[in-house]
Amino acid sequence: MLNQRQLDGFAADHTGFLDDIAPRYLAGPGDARHITHALAATGWKVRSDPLAPVVDLVSPDLRYELRHEPQIMPGGATWRLRSNNPLEHWYAQFTAIPAEILAGLTDQLFLPPPAEQPPGVWDLLADAGWPHTPHQASSVARSPDGMVSVEHLQITEGHEARAWRIEVRPRPDQGPVIWSAWIAYEPPAHLITGLVAALTDPAPLQRNWGQTEAHYSARRTESRVAPEAHVDAHRTRIDTVRAQIRAARRSNSSASSAPSPAPSASSPLRQAR
């Protein structure tokens, strides 16, 4: 459970002046607590050694597991996520993805599924101006600057299994991968759309001067967001998450305690009397 000491620790680490980094997918990993604090606030349990740099979290219903560890070698996975639900057999891994972009997916793990079908991934990308090339075995969309590719590809014969792959490179299809995402099999659609919506958001991300992991080609300008406002935004995010979970629990409790409708005259129960 997230406590005040942990929130105070986040605040103490974000006292420096901020820069706006754009495009956001070049901002560097940022602070992992943008993700882990939100999950802890919704009841995810820490299973790892608190004195170790690795963080293992599991959801309250044991359906999902998330692991975060420092990047040991260039290109190594920093985040690993998997579903333990037999009806959602999928897993994902990410290298140095900005935490705010990955949160577009992880936030969906504790929120109620959307009541309506979310917009399709390709529709979201098209609305953001990312050209899309459909293909039977592999469909690809690219960012307007060509640095990011989002691919939905076949990974087994017969099209039974597919995966999502995101790669960010300094030039279109050239140079070392800055960060990547691999999501194997088919998670619920709203998880992918949440990730893509965060990826294509034109708003910059804030980084303080001590965070030097932004890519050299990113645009870095002095931010109008004060450090205090940045910390307040994090606290507000946590408060909002907690309120959403409380509302969802109240809704579920009301639904489970509602009386069952009386059987109709033609129902099997009435006829059996």
Side-chain angles (χ1 to χ4, degrees):
M1 198 68 178
L2 187 65
N3 58 44
Q4 187 60 46
R5 178 182 59 81
Q6 291 164 320
L7 288 172
D8 290 344
F10 179 91
D13 291 340
H14 291 268
T15 58
F17 291 103
L18 298 173
D19 283 343
D20 287 340
I21 310 296
R24 56 172 37 211
Y25 42 78
L26 299 180
D31 195 323
R33 289 172 291 187
H34 185 79
I35 293 172
T36 58
H37 276 192
L39 295 179
T42 63
W44 283 53
K45 304 299 182 184
V46 179
R47 301 192 301 185
S48 49
D49 180 352
L51 299 180
V54 174
V55 179
D56 277 317
L57 292 166
V58 61
S59 63
D61 57 10
L62 306 181
R63 289 177 60 185
Y64 304 110
E65 297 179 12
L66 179 69
R67 180 180 178 88
H68 176 258
E69 55 187 310
Q71 196 169 0
I72 299 174
M73 57 184 296
T78 301
W79 298 92
R80 299 180 190 273
L81 174 64
R82 72 173 184 175
S83 167
N84 294 321
N85 184 348
L87 301 179
E88 296 180 10
H89 179 59
W90 59 271
Y91 72 92
Q93 62 183 37
F94 308 84
T95 60
I97 182 174
E100 296 88 344
I101 294 178
L102 180 54
L105 187 156
T106 57
D107 283 2
Q108 302 302 317
L109 298 177
F110 56 73
L111 295 174
E116 299 180 358
Q117 183 72 16
V121 169
W122 306 120
D123 292 333
L124 279 176
L125 291 165
D127 290 344
W130 293 40
H132 168 218
T133 304
H135 191 273
Q136 185 176 7
S138 174
S139 297
V140 182
R142 299 187 183 278
S143 58
D145 60 13
M147 299 180 70
V148 189
S149 62
V150 178
E151 183 179 8
H152 195 212
L153 65 154
Q154 173 189 339
I155 55 177
T156 63
E157 295 294 334
H159 308 280
E160 291 88 356
R162 301 179 73 85
W164 291 93
R165 178 167 58 197
I166 300 173
E167 289 187 340
V168 183
R169 296 176 182 269
R171 294 174 299 280
D173 292 327
Q174 297 181 24
V177 175
I178 298 169
W179 64 263
S180 65
W182 175 262
I183 307 169
Y185 308 109
E186 294 292 348
H190 65 283
L191 302 188
I192 302 298
T193 55
L195 177 66
V196 169
L199 173 67
T200 58
D201 189 336
L205 295 180
Q206 281 72 48
R207 297 287 186 263
N208 63 40
W209 290 356
Q211 294 173 313
T212 59
E213 296 172 303
H215 193 262
Y216 66 84
S217 63
R219 299 186 301 275
R220 190 164 195 149
T221 57
E222 184 177 348
S223 180
R224 296 182 179 180
V225 178
E228 297 80 8
H230 185 68
V231 171
D232 287 344
H234 183 73
R235 294 182 186 276
T236 299
R237 166 174 162 77
I238 299 304
D239 291 341
T240 301
V241 163
R242 286 171 168 160
Q244 289 172 323
I245 293 300
R246 287 194 296 267
R249 288 172 179 167
R250 285 195 299 268
S251 177
N252 292 337
S253 177
S254 300
S256 61
S257 62
S260 301
S264 64
S266 60
S267 70
L269 179 61
R270 179 63 61 86
Q271 291 173 353
R273 292 180 178 175

